[in-house]
Amino acid sequence: MTLKGITYRLSQARQRLTYAAQSTNSFARLRLDSHKRSCQVAAVMVGRNDDYMPDFAHRLRATIAWNVRAIVDEVVFVEWNPPDDRELLATSLVKEFSQVKCYVVPREIHQKVCHNPRLPLMEYHAKNVGIRRAQAPWIIATNADVAISVDTVRALSEMPFSDEMAWTAQRIDINWTEWRQEP
Protein backbone atom coordinates (compact mmCIF):
# COMPACT_ATOMS: atom_id res chain seq x y z
CA MET A 1 0.00 0.00 0.00
CA THR A 2 1.30 3.45 -0.89
CA LEU A 3 1.65 6.42 1.43
CA LYS A 4 -1.16 8.12 -0.49
CA GLY A 5 -3.43 5.10 0.12
CA ILE A 6 -2.60 5.01 3.82
CA THR A 7 -3.23 8.75 4.16
CA TYR A 8 -6.57 8.42 2.40
CA ARG A 9 -7.68 5.49 4.59
CA LEU A 10 -6.65 7.29 7.78
CA SER A 11 -8.58 10.37 6.68
CA GLN A 12 -11.68 8.26 5.98
CA ALA A 13 -11.38 6.52 9.35
CA ARG A 14 -11.02 9.87 11.14
CA GLN A 15 -14.12 11.25 9.38
CA ARG A 16 -16.16 8.18 10.31
CA LEU A 17 -15.02 8.25 13.93
CA THR A 18 -15.83 11.97 14.17
CA TYR A 19 -19.30 11.37 12.72
CA ALA A 20 -19.91 8.46 15.11
CA ALA A 21 -18.76 10.51 18.12
CA GLN A 22 -20.96 13.46 17.15
CA SER A 23 -23.95 11.18 16.61
CA THR A 24 -23.42 9.47 19.96
CA ASN A 25 -23.15 12.85 21.67
CA SER A 26 -26.32 14.12 19.94
CA PHE A 27 -28.20 10.97 20.88
CA ALA A 28 -27.11 11.26 24.53
CA ARG A 29 -28.21 14.92 24.67
CA LEU A 30 -31.52 14.01 23.05
CA ARG A 31 -32.16 11.31 25.68
CA LEU A 32 -31.48 13.85 28.45
CA ASP A 33 -33.78 16.51 26.99
CA SER A 34 -37.46 16.38 27.68
CA HIS A 35 -37.84 17.29 23.97
CA LYS A 36 -41.24 18.85 24.38
CA ARG A 37 -42.61 19.96 21.06
CA SER A 38 -45.15 22.64 20.48
CA CYS A 39 -46.92 20.62 17.82
CA GLN A 40 -47.74 17.05 16.85
CA VAL A 41 -46.01 15.40 13.89
CA ALA A 42 -47.33 12.71 11.52
CA ALA A 43 -45.15 10.56 9.28
CA VAL A 44 -46.75 9.42 6.02
CA MET A 45 -45.24 6.25 4.53
CA VAL A 46 -46.08 4.06 1.57
CA GLY A 47 -45.37 0.45 0.73
CA ARG A 48 -46.63 -2.98 -0.22
CA ASN A 49 -45.64 -6.53 0.62
CA ASP A 50 -44.05 -7.40 -2.73
CA ASP A 51 -40.39 -8.11 -1.86
CA TYR A 52 -39.22 -4.96 -3.62
CA MET A 53 -36.40 -5.46 -1.15
CA PRO A 54 -36.38 -8.77 0.74
CA ASP A 55 -36.13 -7.20 4.21
CA PHE A 56 -38.57 -4.34 3.60
CA ALA A 57 -41.06 -5.36 6.31
CA HIS A 58 -38.28 -5.64 8.90
CA ARG A 59 -36.83 -2.22 7.98
CA LEU A 60 -40.33 -0.69 7.97
CA ARG A 61 -40.99 -1.91 11.52
CA ALA A 62 -37.58 -0.74 12.76
CA THR A 63 -38.12 2.67 11.19
CA ILE A 64 -41.59 3.09 12.67
CA ALA A 65 -40.32 2.05 16.11
CA TRP A 66 -37.48 4.60 16.00
CA ASN A 67 -39.51 7.46 14.54
CA VAL A 68 -42.36 6.98 17.05
CA ARG A 69 -39.89 6.88 19.90
CA ALA A 70 -37.97 9.92 18.66
CA ILE A 71 -40.44 12.45 17.22
CA VAL A 72 -43.52 11.10 15.42
CA ASP A 73 -46.90 11.05 17.16
CA GLU A 74 -48.85 9.47 14.30
CA VAL A 75 -47.85 7.19 11.42
CA VAL A 76 -50.07 6.95 8.37
CA PHE A 77 -49.11 3.95 6.26
CA VAL A 78 -50.68 3.57 2.81
CA GLU A 79 -50.50 0.09 1.31
CA TRP A 80 -50.98 0.70 -2.41
CA ASN A 81 -52.20 -2.06 -4.73
CA PRO A 82 -51.21 -4.98 -2.48
CA PRO A 83 -50.47 -8.29 -4.20
CA ASP A 84 -53.29 -10.82 -3.87
CA ASP A 85 -50.95 -13.65 -2.88
CA ARG A 86 -49.35 -11.81 0.08
CA GLU A 87 -50.46 -10.88 3.59
CA LEU A 88 -51.19 -7.19 4.09
CA LEU A 89 -48.52 -5.26 5.96
CA ALA A 90 -51.29 -3.06 7.37
CA THR A 91 -52.81 -5.87 9.43
CA SER A 92 -49.72 -6.52 11.51
CA LEU A 93 -48.65 -2.85 11.73
CA VAL A 94 -51.84 -1.71 13.46
CA LYS A 95 -51.53 -4.61 15.91
CA GLU A 96 -47.90 -3.82 16.68
CA PHE A 97 -48.03 0.00 16.88
CA SER A 98 -50.85 1.97 18.48
CA GLN A 99 -49.71 5.12 16.64
CA VAL A 100 -50.17 3.59 13.17
CA LYS A 101 -53.19 4.12 10.96
CA CYS A 102 -53.25 2.17 7.71
CA TYR A 103 -55.15 2.67 4.49
CA VAL A 104 -55.24 0.06 1.76
CA VAL A 105 -55.75 1.20 -1.83
CA PRO A 106 -57.02 -1.84 -3.75
CA ARG A 107 -56.05 -2.96 -7.23
CA GLU A 108 -59.34 -1.66 -8.71
CA ILE A 109 -58.54 1.92 -7.75
CA HIS A 110 -54.91 1.54 -8.84
CA GLN A 111 -56.04 0.36 -12.28
CA LYS A 112 -58.40 3.33 -12.65
CA VAL A 113 -55.58 5.77 -11.88
CA CYS A 114 -52.58 4.01 -13.45
CA HIS A 115 -52.45 2.94 -17.07
CA ASN A 116 -48.91 1.55 -16.95
CA PRO A 117 -48.96 -2.21 -16.22
CA ARG A 118 -45.29 -2.10 -15.16
CA LEU A 119 -45.97 0.42 -12.36
CA PRO A 120 -47.48 -1.46 -9.39
CA LEU A 121 -47.10 1.35 -6.84
CA MET A 122 -47.84 5.02 -7.39
CA GLU A 123 -45.76 6.52 -4.59
CA TYR A 124 -46.90 10.13 -4.77
CA HIS A 125 -50.55 9.30 -5.24
CA ALA A 126 -50.26 7.04 -2.18
CA LYS A 127 -48.51 9.75 -0.15
CA ASN A 128 -51.32 12.15 -1.03
CA VAL A 129 -53.83 9.60 0.29
CA GLY A 130 -51.90 9.52 3.57
CA ILE A 131 -51.38 13.28 3.83
CA ARG A 132 -55.11 13.91 3.39
CA ARG A 133 -55.88 11.49 6.23
CA ALA A 134 -53.21 12.56 8.73
CA GLN A 135 -54.60 14.25 11.83
CA ALA A 136 -51.43 15.96 13.07
CA PRO A 137 -50.89 19.53 11.86
CA TRP A 138 -47.27 18.80 10.88
CA ILE A 139 -46.58 16.08 8.32
CA ILE A 140 -43.38 14.40 7.24
CA ALA A 141 -43.89 12.69 3.88
CA THR A 142 -41.11 10.13 3.95
CA ASN A 143 -40.08 6.73 2.70
CA ALA A 144 -40.91 3.67 4.74
CA ASP A 145 -37.28 2.94 5.61
CA VAL A 146 -36.17 6.46 6.56
CA ALA A 147 -35.23 6.89 10.21
CA ILE A 148 -35.34 10.54 11.20
CA SER A 149 -31.86 11.53 12.34
CA VAL A 150 -31.04 12.56 15.88
CA ASP A 151 -29.99 16.03 14.67
CA THR A 152 -33.33 16.50 12.89
CA VAL A 153 -35.20 15.35 15.99
CA ARG A 154 -33.29 17.89 18.11
CA ALA A 155 -33.91 20.69 15.62
CA LEU A 156 -37.63 19.93 15.44
CA SER A 157 -37.83 19.65 19.22
CA GLU A 158 -36.21 23.04 19.76
CA MET A 159 -37.81 24.96 16.89
CA PRO A 160 -41.07 26.80 17.40
CA PHE A 161 -43.64 25.62 14.87
CA SER A 162 -45.34 28.14 12.61
CA ASP A 163 -47.91 27.96 9.82
CA GLU A 164 -45.45 30.01 7.76
CA MET A 165 -42.77 27.31 7.85
CA ALA A 166 -41.86 24.32 5.71
CA TRP A 167 -38.90 22.02 6.31
CA THR A 168 -36.74 20.09 3.92
CA ALA A 169 -33.92 17.77 4.86
CA GLN A 170 -30.91 16.33 3.15
CA ARG A 171 -31.15 12.60 2.64
CA ILE A 172 -28.13 10.43 3.30
CA ASP A 173 -28.28 6.92 1.87
CA ILE A 174 -26.62 4.15 3.80
CA ASN A 175 -25.42 1.24 1.69
CA TRP A 176 -27.59 -1.61 2.99
CA THR A 177 -26.09 -4.98 2.11
CA GLU A 178 -27.70 -7.08 4.84
CA TRP A 179 -29.84 -9.12 2.44
CA ARG A 180 -27.45 -9.35 -0.49
CA GLN A 181 -25.67 -12.61 -1.32
CA GLU A 182 -21.94 -12.63 -1.98
CA PRO A 183 -21.11 -13.71 -5.58
Side-chain angles (χ1 to χ4, degrees):
M1 183 177 294
T2 67
L3 180 59
K4 185 176 180 181
I6 292 170
T7 304
Y8 172 78
R9 289 177 195 262
L10 286 173
S11 172
Q12 290 295 305
R14 188 184 83 245
Q15 287 177 2
R16 289 181 179 141
L17 286 172
T18 301
Y19 177 79
Q22 289 172 343
S23 296
T24 301
N25 184 29
S26 291
F27 184 73
R29 283 185 293 147
L30 179 66
R31 301 259 316 159
L32 295 174
D33 290 347
S34 62
H35 61 323
K36 294 178 184 173
R37 288 173 281 128
S38 59
C39 202
Q40 290 187 321
V41 177
V44 174
M45 302 175 172
V46 174
R48 53 185 255 141
N49 192 7
D50 64 356
D51 284 337
Y52 173 70
M53 294 186 90
D55 61 349
F56 175 75
H58 173 72
R59 290 183 301 125
L60 170 64
R61 283 179 173 77
T63 299
I64 291 173
W66 164 256
N67 289 345
V68 164
R69 181 173 166 217
I71 191 87
V72 171
D73 301 290
E74 169 191 19
V75 175
V76 179
F77 180 75
V78 179
E79 192 156 358
W80 186 275
N81 186 26
D84 293 331
D85 62 338
R86 299 289 180 96
E87 181 181 322
L88 289 175
L89 292 169
T91 305
S92 59
L93 290 176
V94 296
K95 289 178 184 175
E96 189 172 342
F97 300 100
S98 62
Q99 304 89 340
V100 174
K101 294 187 309 186
C102 294
Y103 297 91
V104 178
V105 178
R107 169 171 292 144
E108 298 77 32
I109 292 178
H110 171 74
Q111 289 174 337
K112 286 180 183 178
V113 177
C114 181
H115 303 291
N116 182 347
R118 294 185 307 188
L119 185 64
L121 188 146
M122 298 183 71
E123 177 183 355
Y124 297 104
H125 284 68
K127 284 183 179 175
N128 281 329
V129 167
I131 289 167
R132 293 181 62 89
R133 285 157 179 81
Q135 298 296 309
W138 281 85
I139 298 169
I140 299 171
T142 185
N143 290 346
D145 59 354
V146 173
I148 300 168
S149 75
V150 172
D151 292 336
T152 302
V153 171
R154 283 190 58 82
L156 289 172
S157 298
E158 296 169 356
M159 187 66 116
F161 285 80
S162 162
D163 291 343
E164 305 286 320
M165 184 186 315
W167 278 71
T168 63
Q170 180 181 4
R171 183 179 95 186
I172 299 172
D173 289 334
I174 298 171
N175 189 14
W176 187 270
T177 58
E178 194 71 24
W179 55 271
R180 294 188 183 146
Q181 300 289 329
E182 291 293 324

